[in-house]
């Protein structure tokens, strides 16, 4: 029986990951959730147990083989009111988690970064676009410390522009779809960004693959989760318009770019990653699905 610990299980990606894990044989899942009732309602699976977000004693007793650390607080803002939440959610909570897992020397810890940590491209290294991504970059050093101290293996997943399905927060594609035949235009930037749009179901499959192949995955790998195909934001609007056969009411240039906006972010080809996972859903297929659910 492979034991899997999941944080952020009620989130956009997390609940899909747990759904996949629930269908895997010989897998036992424990989720850490701030709202146990919500977690149980969203994920009422026989092989999944939900406990409180900071029940560290239960975490120690569980002794997971794989940890999927999906919990995060994501925002493009950096105002005074959210600084504490960013640090507490993205650095403090993960550090408390690792501290509780110190005896799990044989585990695989799967951390999650962001493509916006590489605002100027991978060759330039960490040049964060947001305070949010700066906290994600900082937490990597914490993982390094505990991995060196305790001897466990870890990898970092870097999802690119995730879309698809239903989320509590709207994605770029959601605003575009809502603009179809809208009376009032949706204000957007000039739309010159070239991004790698990867479907949420593909991203969820990656984390399930890390569980399935956990014994084979090399430590300290960084996996960039994308289609390896860049699409200009304006071109995405054209794809939506063509597939819907209707007009998008978008005011291009109605909003300014953020001060450190990412203008080009496309996942690199990775033959090693392709042993375990590869994105399968094209942007055209993802748009078609999104339009059906409108």
């Amino acid at each position: 029986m492979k034991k899997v610990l999941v944080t952020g299980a009620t989130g956009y990606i997390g609940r899909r990951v747990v759904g996949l894990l629930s269908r895997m044989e010989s897998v036992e899942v424990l989720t850490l959730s701030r709202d146990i009732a919500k977690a149980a309602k969203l994920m009422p699976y026989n092989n999944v147990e939900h406990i409180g977000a900071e029940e560290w004693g239960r975490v120690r007793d569980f002794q997971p083989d794989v940890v999927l650390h999906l919990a995060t607080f994501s925002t493009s803002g950096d105002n005074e009111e959210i600084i504490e939440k960013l640090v507490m959610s993205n650095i403090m909570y993960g550090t408390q988690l690792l501290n509780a897992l110190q005896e799990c020397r044989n585990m695989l810890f799967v951390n999650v970064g962001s493509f916006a940590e590489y605002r100027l491209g991978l060759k330039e290294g960490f040049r964060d676009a947001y305070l949010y991504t700066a906290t994600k970059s900082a937490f990597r050093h914490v993982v390094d410390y505990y991995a060196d101290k305790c001897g466990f293996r870890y990898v970092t997943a870097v999802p690119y522009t995730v879309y698809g399905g239903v989320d509590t927060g709207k994605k770029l594609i959601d605003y575009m779809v809502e603009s179809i035949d809208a009376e009032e235009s949706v204000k957007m930037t000039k739309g010159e960004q070239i991004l790698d749009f990867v479907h949420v179901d593909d991203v969820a499959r990656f984390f399930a693959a890390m569980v399935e192949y956990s014994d084979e995955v090399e430590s300290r790998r960084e996996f960039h989760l994308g289609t390896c195909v860049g699409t200009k934001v304006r071109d995405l609007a054209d794809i939506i318009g063509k597939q819907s056969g209707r007009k998008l009411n978008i005011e291009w240039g109605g909003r300014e770019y953020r001060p450190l906006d990412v203008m080009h972010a496309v996942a690199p080809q990775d033959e090693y990653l392709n042993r375990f996972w590869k994105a399968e859903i094209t942007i055209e297929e993802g748009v078609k699905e999104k339009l059906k659910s409108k």
Side-chain angles (χ1 to χ4, degrees):
M1 183 69 71
K2 188 174 289 187
K3 295 184 175 182
V4 184
L5 180 70
V6 183
T7 71
T10 59
Y12 176 49
I13 296 172
R15 60 183 182 269
R16 290 171 171 82
V17 173
V18 175
L20 293 176
L21 297 180
S22 72
R23 299 195 289 271
M24 294 173 64
E25 294 184 1
S26 301
V27 170
E28 180 183 352
V29 181
L30 183 68
T31 80
L32 301 183
S33 304
R34 300 197 182 280
D35 189 335
I36 300 175
K38 177 182 177 181
K41 183 177 180 180
L42 287 172
M43 297 163 284
Y45 307 121
N46 292 331
N47 64 335
V48 180
E49 181 181 2
H50 309 287
I51 65 172
E54 297 182 1
E55 292 191 45
W56 304 125
R58 296 284 298 278
V59 169
R60 294 185 187 95
D61 293 342
F62 187 62
Q63 292 285 299
D65 302 297
V66 182
V67 177
L68 304 179
H69 182 40
L70 306 177
T72 191
F73 173 56
S74 176
T75 176
S76 60
D78 56 6
N79 52 297
E80 185 176 350
E81 290 75 16
I82 64 172
I83 291 175
E84 182 176 356
K85 188 173 182 179
L86 277 168
V87 173
M88 294 299 292
S89 298
N90 299 339
I91 300 177
M92 177 65 79
Y93 184 71
T95 303
Q96 292 173 316
L97 173 66
L98 287 168
N99 192 66
L101 294 167
Q102 289 190 73
E103 300 305 316
C104 302
R105 300 180 182 277
N106 295 318
M107 73 174 174
L108 174 67
F109 186 89
V110 183
N111 184 39
V112 181
S114 168
F115 73 86
E117 292 177 273
Y118 301 99
R119 175 174 55 89
L120 300 180
L122 297 179
K123 291 182 180 179
E124 295 296 322
F126 294 152
R127 297 293 295 274
D128 292 287
Y130 314 113
L131 181 58
Y132 156 67
T133 62
T135 62
K136 300 296 281 186
S137 298
F139 181 64
R140 292 185 188 225
H141 294 287
V142 179
V143 180
D144 270 329
Y145 166 76
Y146 277 98
D148 287 342
K149 178 183 178 183
C150 305
F152 61 80
R153 294 176 301 125
Y154 77 90
V155 298
T156 299
V158 181
Y160 279 64
T161 306
V162 184
Y163 74 100
V166 178
D167 187 19
T168 53
K170 291 182 181 179
K171 309 294 184 186
L172 174 63
I173 194 171
D174 296 313
Y175 288 106
M176 288 185 170
V177 170
E178 286 182 0
S179 79
I180 295 174
D181 296 333
E183 292 185 7
E184 186 175 345
S185 64
V186 175
K187 291 180 170 58
M188 291 193 174
T189 66
K190 293 180 180 179
E192 299 163 315
Q193 309 96 312
I194 296 175
L195 304 174
D196 189 337
F197 293 92
V198 58
H199 198 278
V200 64
D201 290 343
D202 275 336
V203 174
R205 282 195 308 102
F206 165 81
F207 291 103
M210 288 298 96
V211 172
E212 182 176 358
Y213 299 104
S214 60
D215 296 335
E216 304 173 36
V217 177
E218 294 178 0
S219 185
R220 298 176 189 264
R221 285 273 185 174
E222 184 175 75
F223 295 127
H224 291 256
L225 310 183
T227 64
C228 305
V229 176
T231 301
K232 186 179 287 189
V233 170
R234 275 183 177 263
D235 292 341
L236 174 59
D238 290 340
I239 292 171
I240 295 172
K242 183 177 180 180
Q243 290 207 12
S244 66
R246 293 150 71 187
K247 184 179 179 181
L248 277 65
N249 189 0
I250 295 175
E251 182 186 340
W252 296 108
R255 296 182 60 181
E256 296 293 328
Y257 291 116
R258 297 187 184 98
L260 299 177
D261 232 338
V262 179
M263 298 304 294
H264 189 281
V266 180
Q269 294 285 348
D270 186 341
E271 292 183 6
Y272 182 79
L273 171 60
N274 291 347
R275 298 183 194 180
F276 312 107
W277 175 89
K278 189 174 184 179
E280 297 177 351
I281 303 171
T282 66
I283 186 62
E284 290 80 10
E285 292 168 337
V287 166
K288 183 180 293 186
E289 176 200 4
K290 189 68 181 178
L291 290 171
K292 285 181 180 178
S293 64
K294 184 178 183 294

